[in-house]
Amino acid sequence: MMHGGYGMFGGGGILGLILVAVVVYFLIKYFNENNNNNTNTFSKKSNSLDILNERYARGEIDDEEYNRKKKILKD
């Protein structure tokens, strides 16, 4: 079927470009969210260990509790 020489989307392909831009936007958003989830998991573990170290340094927890919790966080 002929489309009058304007391509599949008509109007010089503007609609096609918009469609491609929307798809690319959602793909980038999807991959950024997945990447952020992985980063946040690492960040939470690191942050928890920092807090544990601070509590130990202030004397809020003893050696035994510090070592036990540190082992749990690293696993």
Side-chain angles (χ1 to χ4, degrees), residues 15-72:
L15 185 59
L17 291 175
I18 292 171
L19 180 64
V20 169
V22 169
V23 170
V24 169
Y25 168 78
F26 283 110
L27 286 173
I28 290 171
K29 185 176 177 181
Y30 172 77
F31 285 113
N32 280 341
E33 286 177 3
N34 284 342
N35 190 26
N36 288 340
N37 288 339
N38 293 339
T39 303
N40 287 340
T41 301
F42 175 75
S43 179
K44 286 178 186 176
K45 281 186 178 181
S46 178
N47 190 28
S48 299
L49 191 55
D50 291 339
I51 293 169
L52 181 64
N53 288 335
E54 289 174 15
R55 289 187 64 204
Y56 180 68
R58 281 186 250 144
E60 295 177 12
I61 57 176
D62 62 8
D63 293 341
E64 183 180 328
E65 186 176 0
Y66 172 78
N67 288 325
R68 183 175 52 83
K69 290 182 177 188
K70 184 177 177 182
K71 182 180 179 195
I72 290 170

